[in-house]
Structures are given as structure tokens and as C-alpha cells.
Amino acid sequence: MNGDSGKRVVTRRKALGIGSTLAVTSLAGCMGFFSNNNDQNVEIPSLSDFRGSGSLVEGRPAPGGTSIEDLPNLSGELALYIGGGEGGIYYEFVEMLQDIYPDFTVYPNDNDSASLAQTIVEEVDAGAAQADVFWSIDASSLGFVADNDAYEPLSDAAVDPVAKDQFVGTDKAWAGVAGRARSVPYNTDELSSSDIPTTVQEFPSTDALRGTMGWAPTYGAFKSFVTAMRLIEGDEATRNWLVDMQEAGTERYANEYAVSQTVANGSLAAGFANHYYAMRVKNQQPDAPIDLAFTEGDAGALINVAGALKVKGTRRGELVDDFVRHLLSSEAQEYFATISFAYPMIEGVAPVGGLPTIDELSPPDIDLAKLSNLEPTLDLMDEAGVSG
């Protein structure tokens, strides 16, 4: 990432480095079958309308991939369960789609992704599914729905744009639409890239990091990170790591943006956070002394995804497929990359600010759906004294 100083945020070998909630319970009865009407008076906004602003966005090339103008028109009504967190940003894109397609209407129900996943499973089990599509901010919630057989496979056309197989659920249960990488934000006035180990297991014993790091254990992304560590290293090694990090003086924060901001202001030398929080800091403060490092092949290199799933029992399966195709369009991926600083899921769209591409990172080889096995993680964190 280039700031006014000309420094890159990622300088290392892979440089470690809704709308309002609406009641949806009556939708099944009042929403009829959709009919795809390609005679709508459709006007696609210019690329600038899909693109964010700030120092990280300036000078970007036009995105590759399939443009909205080359996709089937969206027509009909869609009941959308959309996860919280980034859901507000995501729903703004849904509103843009409704502006583009006058015959397309979305009825949203927003809550945290885990709660919505539970609700979907309960509704499907009761034979009373209220949602057509579930847009979760994380793969663990998608995996929970899929594991409970509350989905219908997406079409080939819907999942084909996703560049990496690991970002598509088994049996095409879901498609990733935006990625986020675990990272180590560090203060460049205090540390250099060579101070950051290539594996998180080395962190507690690294002298340059003792008493200088921060984390946010209550944050969902941190729990997914610990879950990934359990899957890779086992419970005992993960418990020991949590204890060792506490004994090394790691400070606790409410969220990972606070961790990244505190790194930027020099109160912390480094921390654990999703990559996009440092991007937000840098977009607001181009000269902030913050860079990113990524570990290699372990839980610290986890790439999680927000994704979309077709809910079992929907009568609007074709519309769901076309909706997901729009989420993977060049305009949508440019939107997610430059508004929320997410990793694009399709080829031809670059991440912001000089971030390494997904191909340049070394994420662990795990099934993201298995991140839904959260209860053992919470128990382990309690045992280690790191209450989530």
C-alpha cells in the first residue's frame, strides 16, 4: 500500500506481508413465484458508483470478471437473511441492485450470522422456511446450515466465478463472495518485518513481541482463528498457546479495529486482526506507521469468507442463483474490495493498497465449514482463561 510517504503497507515475502430488520415470517404466503423479465428498463451505473474512495483506491485499474450488464436481469421478490457486521455494507449493494432492476425487490432480515443460521435450520426442519437466500459474514455459519441439510446446491453458473475451490462449499452448498485474511498489524516505528515470525506458535517466545501485542478474544474472527488452530494443532497445543500469549503480556481489546488503531498510534507494537482493519486505518491516515504481516500455512494465515447459500425449500432457486452471480460480478467484487477492503473472490479484481493477492498468501488447508464447530473452542478458551 502506498501512502504519502511512499511506503508499502505490505512489504514482506508474502508480507504477513439493513437496512432495518423486516418481519419475514409472512413472506412465504405473500410472495409469488418470480418471473424473469428481461424487458426491464435497466441502467447500469458507472464503475465509479461501485468504487470506494481514499488513498487506497486511487489509480486502480478497471476490474476484470463478468460485468452485471452481461448477467440475466433480476426480476421478482427475494427473502434475504443477511448477517450483521459487514452486513450493512453488503446490503447497500443489494439496494444498488434494486435501483438497477425496477422489478427486483428484496425483503431483508438481519441479525448476527450464527443466529440466522440457527433460525434457518429450525425453519427448514419445521417445513416453514422463510428465507430464499442466506448471506453470512463467515463460512462457519454457512457450514452449520449445510451440515444440517438446510440448503439446496447452487448452480454451476453461480459458483464457477469463484477462483478457489476452498471458497465454495461441498456440493456447491455456498459460494464465497468476499474474503478476509488473518494478519499481524505491526507498527513500523517499533518493528520490522523480520521481527514477525512465520508461524503463530513462535509468537509467545519471540522477545521482540513480548508485552507488546494485543488481541480481541470476544471477536468472532478471533474465535474462528482459535477454532482453526484447534483443527490444525490440536486442543492441547492451542490451549497452551493461549496461556503462553497471556503470560507474554498480550493486552485485551474490545474489537480488532481497536487493536489495529492502537498499533498505528504506537501504544502496541503488534496485534492480531483481520487484514481490513489496518486497511481502514491506512485509508484514513495514509502516513500511519502500520504495516501487515501474514504467517504461513497455519491458523494465523486463515482466510475466511462471507458467502451466500440457497435455503432449502425456496421456490425462487433460479433467482437465487442469478443473485449470487451478481455478487460475483466485476462491479460487486470491486465494490467489496474498495468499500469494505475485502479480498476479491474472482480473478481479475485486485485487492486494495498493495496487499498480497490470495495466490501469494499461504492459508492453511482446512475445510472452512468446519469452523462451525465452535463450542469446543469456547470451552478451550474458558479453560485457558481467555473468555470469549
Side-chain angles (χ1 to χ4, degrees):
M1 174 190 312
N2 293 323
D4 293 343
S5 64
K7 294 181 180 179
R8 285 169 57 85
V9 168
V10 182
T11 55
R12 174 181 175 189
R13 53 178 193 284
K14 299 189 187 160
L16 215 25
I18 118 145
S20 61
T21 303
L22 300 180
V24 191
T25 55
S26 63
L27 288 180
C30 71
M31 290 169 59
F33 289 101
F34 78 95
S35 59
N36 190 18
N37 176 9
N38 286 321
D39 295 327
Q40 297 177 73
N41 184 19
V42 171
E43 182 176 349
I44 310 298
S46 67
L47 178 61
S48 62
D49 291 319
F50 293 99
R51 181 175 278 174
S53 60
S55 61
L56 301 186
V57 179
E58 295 173 356
R60 282 177 61 84
T66 301
S67 172
I68 287 176
E69 65 184 12
D70 296 320
L71 295 176
N73 288 355
L74 298 178
S75 179
E77 297 172 316
L78 202 62
L80 170 67
Y81 280 13
I82 185 165
E86 297 301 302
I89 293 175
Y90 295 157
Y91 193 73
E92 289 176 5
F93 181 77
V94 175
E95 291 180 319
M96 293 181 73
L97 291 180
Q98 291 180 98
D99 289 340
I100 292 170
Y101 299 108
D103 295 338
F104 178 56
T105 303
V106 174
Y107 295 88
N109 182 10
D110 75 307
N111 203 335
D112 67 88
S113 288
S115 295
L116 289 174
Q118 183 68 47
T119 297
I120 289 169
V121 171
E122 292 172 354
E123 290 176 350
V124 170
D125 285 348
Q130 303 300 320
D132 298 306
V133 59
F134 176 34
W135 189 349
S136 169
I137 63 168
D138 61 76
S140 62
S141 296
L142 297 167
F144 179 81
V145 174
D147 287 346
N148 284 275
D149 194 30
Y151 75 97
E152 294 185 5
L154 293 165
S155 69
D156 289 341
V159 303
D160 283 349
V162 181
K164 297 289 185 182
D165 290 343
Q166 70 190 101
F167 303 136
V168 175
T170 302
D171 189 35
K172 297 176 286 189
W174 49 267
V177 299
R180 56 184 182 274
R182 295 303 293 171
S183 67
V184 181
Y186 67 93
N187 186 288
T188 56
D189 291 338
E190 302 292 330
L191 299 172
S192 66
S193 61
S194 62
D195 293 317
I196 311 297
T198 58
T199 69
V200 291
Q201 296 299 323
E202 299 175 71
F203 278 54
S205 59
T206 301
D207 290 340
L209 299 179
R210 293 182 65 84
T212 68
M213 292 201 66
W215 61 13
T218 63
Y219 206 58
F222 185 87
K223 297 171 188 176
S224 293
F225 155 67
V226 176
T227 302
M229 190 182 298
R230 278 199 314 103
L231 296 172
I232 297 168
E233 304 289 345
D235 286 4
E236 183 177 357
T238 302
R239 185 186 303 106
N240 291 341
W241 184 85
L242 290 167
V243 171
D244 290 345
M245 286 301 300
Q246 287 187 98
E247 292 179 349
T250 306
E251 296 184 32
R252 183 187 185 97
Y253 290 82
N255 58 65
E256 293 185 349
Y257 178 77
V259 171
S260 300
Q261 184 65 65
T262 307
V263 168
N265 68 30
S267 298
L268 286 175
F272 297 104
N274 282 340
H275 79 277
Y276 51 75
Y277 292 113
M279 297 295 100
R280 292 177 186 178
V281 171
K282 198 69 176 178
N283 201 48
Q284 296 162 358
Q285 307 168 51
D287 292 327
I290 186 171
D291 201 338
L292 285 178
F294 300 86
T295 60
E296 298 175 3
D298 66 359
L302 178 70
I303 299 177
N304 204 340
V305 296
L309 172 149
K310 186 190 302 184
V311 177
K312 189 173 185 177
T314 177
R315 297 176 296 172
R316 303 169 183 85
E318 186 176 347
L319 180 57
V320 172
D321 288 329
D322 288 342
F323 175 71
V324 173
R325 293 176 69 184
H326 278 73
L327 301 184
L328 291 165
S329 66
S330 55
E331 290 89 351
Q333 293 295 294
E334 182 73 2
Y335 177 91
F336 301 144
T338 62
I339 300 292
S340 65
F341 304 134
Y343 266 98
M345 290 285 99
I346 68 172
E347 295 180 355
V349 181
V352 296
L355 283 169
T357 66
I358 285 180
D359 285 339
E360 294 172 322
L361 297 177
S362 300
D365 184 17
I366 62 173
D367 182 353
L368 294 178
K370 292 183 178 179
L371 298 177
S372 63
N373 188 17
L374 195 58
E375 284 303 318
T377 296
L378 299 180
D379 292 342
L380 187 150
M381 291 174 66
D382 285 341
E383 292 171 10
V386 184
S387 175

